[in-house]
Amino acid sequence: MSEKKRTGSALGNDRGRSQGRHAGGGNKGGGAKAAPAWMADLPVRLGQQVEADIVGISHEGEGVGRANGFTLFVAGALPGERALVEVAHLKKQYGHARLVELLEVSPDRVRPDCGIYEQCGGCQLQHLSYEAQLRVKRQQVVDNLERIGKLAVAAGNNEGTASQEGIVVHPTVGMADPWRYRNKAQVPFGEERGGLIGGFYAQGSHDIIDMEACLIQHEANDEVVARVKEIGSRLGFRAYREETGTGLLRHVVVKVGFRTGEIMVVLVTNGAEIPRVDEWVAGIREALPAVKSICHNINVKQTNVIFGDETRTLWGSDVIYDYIGDVKFAISARSFFQVNPVQTEVLYGKALEYAGLTGDEVVVDAYCGIGTISLFLAQRAGKVYGVEIVEEAISDARKNAALNGMSNVHFEAGPAEVVLPAWTRQGVRPDVIVVDPPRKGCDPALLATILELRPRRVVYVSCSAATLARDLRVLADGGYGVAEVTPVDMFPHTVHVESVCLLVRD
């Protein structure tokens, strides 16, 4: 990404128009609608072109602009830029605007490498240099800790050095090569000119942008998607249509083992049978010799959820294998496995460091999933207990423990806030509790349980800086000191950032 200059408004126009349509909330009836009275008091008007100073980036990747003292979110704009924008949508406290022209260009602006970046909604930050992306993501964590958690962050520069007391937020740990890092693709199908297309949804819509190559996907994922489109078109298959519930092919899900090279292909269909299925299987096997598993998932519900409840193996193994560090994992069609295996090792390595294990500790891993963090920690712990509410995941975790010959782990299905007290009654006293919750954060009952059990250390792995800050506030009020946070860039060129946080009992 050496080409840093991008003049004019070409980048912002398409992305800005997409955002404007999505956020505008116009009158769908077609008639004129009177503006609410409160709009008259705002310093900007709908349709007005104004100059805006871009002062930040939102959690959705839009530039945060200030125009006449009013906040406007501008898709495609970057901090430090001055832009001519057109107001597209207004609320009482903020609005959305379309980027018309860049008047002052950030030195961090780069030309996106992806040919469909301006249409696709998969990435949000390809027009920002990677070094700047890492700074933005650290700042996102800092802002949430301060604004939502009301926690003091140590003053210092973006390198994470502190000049006063407070939480040390380290620099975001990035990738040496921030491309082709995803081991899983979930691609919806559509139709165009009588053939199948497959790609990603346009920003703010469910219109499919056909894709030949995605620069953040492993190359094998692109090859599988291309072959499935080709075979499906040749066999005359129709794509699923959300608006009518008709058509057969909904998605292809591809999983690839970075270390093993094994590939799984999952065809998700709107129906229990795949006509000419033997030709499907033969075509995929002939074109893609690395494929070890071909599965069929049935989803007949009118829903945006990708997978249905039933999965069958059409050919090959029920699972493929890959590694995180020295730990081997079996990956099934529906099991969750981190999509960036390179950075997952970094993330878990930091969690292991923060756990401070010497070989004797008892560790509890809440939200353990298929046992990824549990087994990683079990290499250094005396005993690890993993709990997860999804029984299928616990079954996979037990299989993964056996796969690695680890006998110092115990997995149990159920809500963590119920299982942990039961373990306590059985004499389990955790020295360390690790949590890796979904985006909504920890269940309040689990936080209360942690405060009651009072382990020496809590390691919080988070995929949402906002819910991390909220939960840290609860734990801090309950007697834990928030020592440090390390952001890890698991998803380069998107707005998402993961973090690992160490809390120590006061």
Side-chain angles (χ1 to χ4, degrees), residues 59-322:
H59 66 277
E60 294 184 351
E62 301 166 285
V64 180
R66 298 289 290 173
N68 301 327
F70 190 72
T71 298
L72 291 172
F73 294 99
V74 186
L78 295 175
E81 296 185 329
R82 186 166 180 80
L84 180 66
V85 304
E86 183 176 305
V87 180
H89 177 67
L90 286 172
K91 292 193 175 182
K92 292 182 180 180
Q93 302 298 325
Y94 64 90
H96 290 268
R98 180 179 65 87
L99 178 58
V100 175
E101 183 181 0
L102 290 174
L103 306 175
E104 296 178 16
V105 180
S106 167
D108 293 319
R109 180 177 287 277
V110 297
R111 185 181 298 277
D113 287 8
C114 176
I116 59 172
Y117 173 64
E118 295 178 9
Q119 292 80 43
C120 177
C123 297
Q124 302 85 38
L125 298 179
Q126 275 196 33
H127 59 302
L128 182 63
S129 74
Y130 189 56
E131 296 78 9
Q133 289 181 35
L134 299 180
R135 295 195 300 270
V136 163
K137 292 184 180 188
R138 177 186 181 272
Q139 191 60 46
Q140 178 183 332
V141 174
V142 170
D143 290 344
N144 279 278
L145 293 177
E146 292 179 334
R147 296 173 185 174
I148 296 176
K150 308 300 181 186
L151 295 161
V153 174
N157 58 32
N158 197 52
E159 300 304 313
T161 58
S163 60
Q164 67 181 40
E165 290 187 1
I167 304 168
V168 175
V169 179
H170 294 285
T172 306
V173 182
M175 299 187 71
D177 180 8
W179 300 101
R180 297 292 187 181
Y181 59 82
R182 288 186 61 95
N183 61 12
K184 181 176 74 170
Q186 301 179 138
V187 177
F189 285 109
E191 292 182 26
E192 193 174 90
R193 296 185 296 275
L196 293 174
I197 62 172
F200 297 100
Y201 293 120
Q203 192 176 35
S205 79
H206 269 206
D207 297 331
I208 296 173
I209 304 297
D210 196 27
M211 173 199 71
E212 293 184 3
C214 175
L215 300 183
I216 64 172
Q217 295 283 354
H218 191 285
E219 290 90 339
N221 292 342
D222 287 345
E223 183 68 14
V224 171
V225 172
R227 296 290 78 75
V228 168
K229 286 191 291 187
E230 176 187 297
I231 295 167
S233 296
R234 173 163 47 83
L235 296 179
F237 281 69
R238 303 300 302 271
Y240 175 73
R241 299 182 63 184
E242 285 186 7
E243 61 272 21
T244 63
T246 59
L248 180 67
L249 295 176
R250 298 178 72 126
H251 285 80
V252 59
V253 177
V254 190
K255 299 186 177 187
V256 57
F258 269 45
R259 294 261 292 274
T260 64
E262 297 179 352
I263 298 173
M264 171 181 283
V265 181
V266 186
L267 301 172
V268 183
T269 68
N270 178 42
E273 301 297 330
I274 300 179
R276 303 171 71 178
V277 65
D278 291 341
E279 294 179 64
W280 262 109
V281 171
I284 292 173
R285 290 183 61 192
E286 180 180 356
L288 303 158
V291 170
K292 302 298 181 184
S293 173
I294 303 175
C295 297
H296 175 207
N297 178 267
I298 302 162
N299 185 358
V300 296
K301 299 177 182 178
Q302 287 192 272
T303 173
N304 291 332
V305 176
I306 293 175
F307 281 121
D309 296 330
E310 183 180 354
T311 303
R312 307 167 179 171
T313 300
L314 299 176
W315 173 85
S317 172
D318 295 336
V319 299
I320 60 172
Y321 297 95
D322 204 7

Side-chain angles (χ1 to χ4, degrees), residues 26 48 128 131 181 195 241 298 314 352 372 400 424 457 459 476:
Q48 180 185 12
L128 182 63
E131 296 78 9
Y181 59 82
R241 299 182 63 184
I298 302 162
L314 299 176
L352 182 61
T372 49
N400 285 323
T424 302
R457 291 186 174 211
V459 179

Side-chain angles (χ1 to χ4, degrees), residues 140-141 144-145 148-149 151 435-443 447 460-475 497 499 501:
Q140 178 183 332
V141 174
N144 279 278
L145 293 177
I148 296 176
L151 295 161
V435 295
D436 183 11
R439 186 163 294 277
K440 66 180 181 180
C442 290
D443 188 287
L447 294 175
Y460 196 130
V461 181
S462 170
C463 61
S464 167
T467 54
L468 169 68
R470 180 201 67 198
D471 292 349
L472 292 185
R473 178 73 269 168
V474 174
L475 295 172
V497 59
S499 301
C501 177

